[in-house]
Amino acid sequence: MTTERTVRAQQGDTVDAICWRYYKATAGITEAVYNANPGLADHGPILPHGLQVQLPLIEEAKPVRTEIALWD
C-alpha cells in the first residue's frame, strides 16, 4: 500500500493550488506537502512546470470554521 502519490506541477502552479486540486483543502495540508518535499520552497511561490511533487496521505482534512462568535 502506498502512502504517497506523485503529481507534476502545471504551468503557474503553486503548492496551495496543488493541495486544493487534490485534497480540496489547504489548511494544514500545505505544510504537510512541504514537509514531504524537502527543498520544495527553494523553487519559490510559482513552481516550475513539470516539477514532481509528492503528496502525502492525509487521513481527513480539518473542517473550516464558517461561523465566528464575537466572544471566542
Side-chain angles (χ1 to χ4, degrees):
M1 179 174 157
T2 213
T3 58
E4 294 184 340
R5 80 184 281 180
T6 302
V7 298
R8 291 191 180 271
Q10 298 174 8
Q11 185 173 354
D13 257 350
T14 62
V15 175
D16 281 344
I18 291 172
C19 290
W20 183 256
R21 189 165 44 249
Y22 290 96
Y23 297 111
K24 301 297 184 219
T26 58
I29 296 174
T30 302
E31 294 84 356
V33 171
Y34 276 112
N35 287 336
N37 294 274
L40 184 61
D42 297 338
H43 293 284
I46 306 296
L47 301 175
H49 178 74
L51 180 70
Q52 289 188 351
V53 178
Q54 296 291 324
L55 299 180
L57 177 65
I58 304 292
E59 292 298 325
E60 184 176 319
K62 295 178 183 176
V64 176
R65 187 173 180 180
T66 57
E67 297 178 11
I68 299 174
L70 295 177
W71 293 276
D72 274 351

